[in-house]
Amino acid sequence: MPSPFVQEVLVKSILVSLNDAVAADNFTVFHAKISKPFRDQFPPDRLQGIFKDLVEKHAVFDAVVAKPIVVDEEAKVDDKGVLRLKGHFETAPKQVKYQLAFIPSDGAWKLSGITIDIE
């Protein structure tokens, strides 16, 4: 289990990478940062389609780096070795909520699943 500090780094770095991909409408760099099984299943153009709603809404959520994480569920590594992180950021005017899954890949914890809501 990664330390709370490492968990925060994982969450913030992947959300900032996603923010950059949404802002540029280019998911190539974001794609390179996710786990190999996730990369194989979701090429950049498919990621672009999945996050189309965020791109069209011009969602900007890079302010998360300056905010503390609010944990909604305690971090856990499930029986398949997947690190699951769920929480949100008290951002205004909208709150950023996330559910992230990470697996060991290429010698580090890499993203294997993501759900993000901005409400």
Side-chain angles (χ1 to χ4, degrees):
M1 172 74 73
S3 71
F5 174 76
V6 171
Q7 292 173 33
E8 182 174 351
V9 169
L10 288 170
V11 169
K12 289 183 176 181
S13 65
I14 208 68
L15 290 180
V16 168
S17 292
L18 178 59
N19 178 79
D20 292 347
V22 166
D25 194 15
N26 183 331
F27 288 80
T28 306
V29 173
F30 180 74
H31 180 263
K33 294 183 177 188
I34 61 180
S35 67
K36 178 159 179 19
F38 203 32
R39 284 193 312 261
D40 292 347
Q41 188 176 359
F42 296 97
D45 59 331
R46 189 155 176 217
L47 289 170
Q48 194 168 20
I50 290 168
F51 294 108
K52 181 181 177 188
D53 189 48
L54 293 176
V55 172
E56 288 175 351
K57 290 179 180 174
H58 303 288
V60 176
F61 46 94
D62 58 354
V64 298
V65 296
K67 300 285 186 179
I69 289 176
V70 179
V71 176
D72 293 336
E73 288 181 15
E74 193 168 326
K76 65 182 175 198
V77 176
D78 68 17
D79 58 354
K80 294 181 178 164
V82 178
L83 172 63
R84 302 205 173 269
L85 303 174
K86 181 178 181 179
H88 68 276
F89 293 90
E90 296 290 343
T91 49
K94 298 183 180 202
Q95 197 175 77
V96 177
K97 297 181 178 183
Y98 65 86
Q99 292 183 56
L100 303 173
F102 295 88
I103 60 170
S105 178
D106 303 323
W109 287 102
K110 299 275 182 118
L111 189 71
S112 64
I114 182 170
T115 302
I116 183 168
D117 291 312
I118 302 172
E119 24 183 85

